[in-house]
Amino acid sequence: MGRDVHYTYKRGTPLTPEEIAMIEAARNLSVEADEDNPEIDPVKTPEQYAALMRAVAERNRRVVEKLRQMG
């Protein structure tokens, strides 16, 4: 098994040519379905989609509230 690589991006740091090549190579990869975490489709799974939208709205509400508290 390969080793895990951890990287923390610092804003403003330019990408290396190797990183740019990796991103460009990833564009050519096909999309793979995730059996454990299927796509939430508003037509195929309306209940899941509605629950997702409620969770997103609640998260956004908390973020806005936190920003208001910060000033």
Side-chain angles (χ1 to χ4, degrees):
M1 209 175 200
R3 66 171 209 230
D4 289 342
V5 176
H6 299 275
Y7 177 78
T8 303
Y9 176 74
K10 293 185 178 119
R11 199 174 274 218
T13 304
L15 296 174
T16 66
E18 180 184 55
E19 292 168 331
I20 293 170
M22 286 172 41
I23 293 169
E24 289 173 352
R27 287 182 184 157
N28 297 326
L29 297 175
S30 62
V31 176
E32 294 183 21
D34 184 354
E35 295 173 11
D36 295 333
N37 189 20
E39 182 178 347
I40 298 176
D41 186 300
V43 175
K44 294 179 183 176
T45 55
E47 297 86 9
Q48 278 187 316
Y49 186 77
L52 172 66
M53 292 296 103
R54 286 191 301 272
V56 168
E58 176 61 22
R59 183 218 42 212
N60 291 346
R61 185 196 62 75
R62 286 193 312 258
V63 167
V64 168
E65 183 61 32
K66 184 163 265 210
L67 289 173
R68 284 185 184 145
Q69 290 175 359
M70 291 173 60

